[in-house]
Every structure is written in structure tokens, then in C-alpha cells.
Amino acid sequence: MRLKLSVLDTVEQWFNSIVKRPALAVTASILWLILIAWIGYGWHLGSVGLVDETEPLFAEASRQMLVTGDWITPFFNGETRFDKPALLYWCQAIAYAVFGVNEWAVRLPSALAAMGLVALAFYTVQWSLAKKDELEQVTQPTRRYLTAGVAAGLMGLNAQMIVWGRTGVSDMLLTGCIASALLCFFLGYSDTAKLTNPNSKLPNKWYLACYVLTAGAILTKGPVGFVLPGIIILAFLLYLGQFRTVVREMRLFLGMLIILGLSVPWYALVIWRNGQSFIDAFFGYHNVERFTDVVNGHSAPWYFYFVIVLLFFAPYSVYLPLAIFRLKFWQRSHWLKQERSQQLGLFACVWFISVFSFFTIAVTKLPSYVLPLMPAAAILIALLWSDFFSSRKNTSKTSVSYPSSFLLLSGWLNVIFLSALAVAMFHLSHLLGSDQAAPNFRENLQAAGLPIIGGWLWLVSAVLVAALVLRRSWHYIISINLLAFVAFLIVVTMPALFLMDQERQLPLRDLSAVVSQVQQPTEEIMMVGFKKPSVVFYSHKRINFIYSTEQGVEYIRNLANQQVKPSSLLLVTEKKNFFKMDLSPDGYENLAIKGAYQLTRINFKKMKTEKIKIS
């Protein structure tokens, strides 16, 4: 243990020598951001196939845009797709044009959005603390850069950000636009030296960036891209009594024109082309109904997002209550006396609480909905740790604005949480549910030894954190949590992802290749009992999705009884469900079996219609 602490002390001394030289400090910061970006979002980005079912929907709709040249109306499988606006489709289609149609290009916009957000957060935290040094007439580059580095690390290297930053869906692009818009607002609001010239009709550059990014959020996911940042900024300004003043500084009327000018044209064009069907599907179903009613069965109890934040922001999440309490946001008089640049903690707190409350109220609940609060959570915890970076020589006596017992409680909760993760990993094979598409995944995971490796990793981390808590070496604790997460990502999560891909998605890709080769002209392809849009993307074929075996049998019977019936069709089913259809042996030909899936050609000329029934 002493050896471990001496290594950390050596690293800190080396870091202190760097930050005293501005050029080296900037270089080290850039290298740190590159490392976060590579580990979190660049490494093996396109090495696994698209994951059913949402990711292939976006990927194929974007491919259709590139192929057809229709950049207004998104299509999937021959039908309009009005779930989301066009910005992600445009980004993916452009990536296809540059890099080819592949998994890496599908996920590149999400990865870039995450990387850009992490870099902007680093700049914002470092800038805010630099302003604090100016106000206090001190020079603490170590605190500035360490705190900004922690904020970037926690923001870029947590499960929620990594999952959606490596997935080709709209959630990360939305979060990148919203969170970057909020950070730009704070920079514009705080930099009093560059506030809008009273004689100028334009807001400062940061406010302009905020407006452009808000328009991007609206083009990514609709009204929520305006509503969420609007609620956060409004609540923040009303709390401080700054609403009228800041509205004038922001040139809000001009800003609204910028937002509308950038976002409305696509909406006008898609409505002009598709009319009421777009309005009903997009605004009615995918926005109003998702907030007021349960959509697609995505209901959850009121405490759902407490669990999501705890698990998906692990292991840092145990410090969030203390990070929020530390701010004492209820002491309004204190915050009114603060310079604008020193209100970053309050702004992050309002940001976190607003997003959390908004989606807790919403009836439809999904884990990805609270992704926009993760940047605020990272900033809150980084600012909490800035207290421990202020006094490098005696961190055990660092002055804090809360009872030391609260810090001790959080530290021991950290130990308990890491220990619980270790126990969960040791018993993972019993905790994982069964997946019909990957029936052998648990056995393969256990055979690879990944649960044991993960369990020992978290257990060692718990022991290290416990030792640091006993020594009151608080400034090292967050680095142990961060290193443990990175190690878990590299040695456990990524290999497990490859195992899952090999069993769950690779058979579908192989089956798609067979479909492309064997389909005859005018031959229909039917998928019965499940929906796997990845087959559409990889085969470049239109699929008729039928959700139950009974409906599939009825559909085949109707085709067989037509006077002018097709000669054949291709049937994609799960192996276990195929025999339930009890088709005449003379009427079908098995073409391929890949994993849990089977491809069969139904020959209507040889089929006995009386044998088509459900067993």
C-alpha cells in the first residue's frame, strides 16, 4: 500500500512540475483529452456489428438518404421513419460518403459529439477556476488542471456516456448539442470582459454558439432540444434574479431568429412533403405521447432514474449527494454575492436537478433519457474534488464547507459500492437473464474468466479506496475509481462485448449475406416472430416483419390460397419456432442455419395448404 501511495505521490510531483510551465500544461491537457477520446470512443468503435434493434434503424435510414438522394424524408424498409429529425441521418450519410457504409461510419457522429463535449467541459472548468485564481489573487495551476482533468475523465469515462457515444443513435448527438449549448451559455454569461457591446446588435460568440447548438439539438430530437436547455437556463437566471439583464445581453430575440432560421426549414419541408402523417407521428406520438403516456411498454417506477444514475455513473455516483450538498444552493444570498464565473457549481446543480426532474415526471422512461445530466454530474464531482487539490501539502486538513462526517460517509459508501460490484461480478452467471438470441453467452463469459477478473478488479479497488479513506488521502480516491473503471472497460467490458457480438449479432450478419446471394427476383423476404432491422441494413433488402408465429402462418396460408400466388418466398425465423409452424416437408427448403436463426425457402407450388397450421 505504501508503494502504491508513493507512486501516486511521484506522479503528482511530476504533474506539478508540468503545470508550472504553460506550454507543457497545455500539451499534457491535449494528450489527456486524446487518451479519453481514444479509450472511450475511438478504440474498436467499428469492430462489432450493429446492435438490434434501434441502431440499424438509424443506419439504414441514413444509407437510404445517401442512395436515393432524398435528404428530407427519412425512410426505413420502404416506409417513412418519423421517429427523429434529420440531423443524425445527415451526419451518418456524410460519413458513409467519406468513409464508406460501415459500422465505424454509423457511430462516428456519436463519438465525435462525445469527444467535443468532453473537450469543451475541460475548457469551461479550467477557465472558471482560472477566474477564481484571479479573484483570490493566487496562482494554483495544479488545482485548475487537475480539476478540469477530473471533470473530463469522469464525463468521458462512465458507462452511460460510453454506451451511447459508441452507438449510432440520436441520444449522444442530442446530449452533445444540449450540453455544449449550456456550457457555451455559461461561458457567454460569465465572461464579463466580453459581454455584448451595448452598441452592437449581435450577442457575444459564446451566446451565438449556444443558439447554433440549440438549433442542432432541435434538428436531432425535436422540441426537447429547446425545452431542456430553456428550462435549465430559465431556472438558473430566475434563481439569481438575472433574467431581464441576461436576456438583453443575449439578444434573445435575435437568438430565437437564429434558432428558428436553422431548424425550421427542414420541418417546413418535411411537413410540406408528408403533411399530417409527419405531424401525427413525430409531434403527436414521439413527443407528446412519450411525455404523457407509456410508449412501447417503456414504463418504470418513480425511482427509476435514481437507480439509473447510481449504476450508469458508477463508481463515481456515490459522491453526487455530497457534491450537491457542498454547494448549499439553498443559500441564495451567498450565490448572489458570487462573481458570475464562480457560479459554475450552481449552474451544474440546476442543470442536473432540472433534467432529472423533467424525465422523472415524464411517463415513458428509458435509461438514455437522463444522458444529458451526466456532464453536469461530472462537473459537480470535479468541483467537489477541487477542494482537495487546493492544498497539496496537507490534504487531510483541506478546508471544506460541509461536515467531515459527510465526506467519511461518502468514502465508506464508495468502498461498499465497489465491494457490491465485486460480489455481483463473482455471481454474474447467476444474475444474468437468458437471451434466446444468445443462449450460450453466460457459459462463454464464464469460460473466458471475465466475471472473475472483473470481481477481483473491483475488490482490489475497494481495498485501495478503504486504505485511502483511513489515511484521509481524499485527493487520490477519485483517481482510483477512474482507473478501476478504465481497467474494467479494457479487460472485461470490451472482451464481453466481442463475445456477445459473436453469438448474438454475427449470425444475423452471416444470414444477411446468404439472403443477398439466394434471393430470386420478386421473391419476398419475411421475418416471423421477431424484428431484427440489422438484416435490412446488411442485406440491403426489404423485409416483411411479422411479429408472431400465428400471424406468419396465416400470412403464408393466404398467399398459398391466392389464385395468382408467388412461386416462393424466403422465411427467416428462430430455429425453435420454425417447427411450430408445421409446414409440409415437401413445401420448404432449408437454406442456412446461423446461430439461433434459420433461413428457409417456401415453395408454394409444392406446398400442401391443408398442412399449414400452428402446432
Side-chain angles (χ1 to χ4, degrees), residues 327-394:
L327 298 170
K328 298 182 179 179
F329 59 87
W330 56 87
Q331 295 182 356
R332 185 168 181 265
S333 59
H334 165 75
W335 290 104
L336 292 177
K337 296 175 184 177
Q338 297 294 310
E339 293 290 332
R340 288 187 177 187
S341 60
Q342 301 313 296
Q343 295 170 348
L344 178 60
L346 177 65
F347 183 64
C349 183
V350 173
W351 176 351
F352 182 91
I353 293 173
S354 297
V355 176
F356 191 93
S357 302
F358 181 85
F359 287 112
T360 296
I361 294 171
V363 179
T364 299
K365 289 179 170 61
L366 285 169
S368 61
Y369 284 1
V370 289
L371 181 61
L373 64 72
M374 293 299 168
I379 291 172
L380 287 170
I381 294 178
L383 292 177
L384 169 66
W385 246 262
S386 69
D387 294 338
F388 311 126
F389 300 144
S390 299
S391 179
R392 176 171 53 88
K393 295 182 180 179
N394 194 355

Side-chain angles (χ1 to χ4, degrees), residues 400-455:
V400 295
S401 59
Y402 46 84
S404 59
S405 59
F406 287 17
L407 183 58
L408 275 172
L409 176 61
S410 298
W412 288 117
L413 284 175
N414 192 173
V415 175
I416 293 171
F417 188 72
L418 292 175
S419 301
L421 288 177
V423 172
M425 287 302 301
F426 285 133
H427 296 86
L428 188 62
S429 60
H430 302 292
L431 296 175
L432 283 178
S434 60
D435 186 347
Q436 294 181 354
N440 300 317
F441 176 67
R442 285 188 298 182
E443 290 77 7
N444 294 338
L445 198 67
Q446 199 71 27
L450 297 181
I452 301 299
I453 296 172

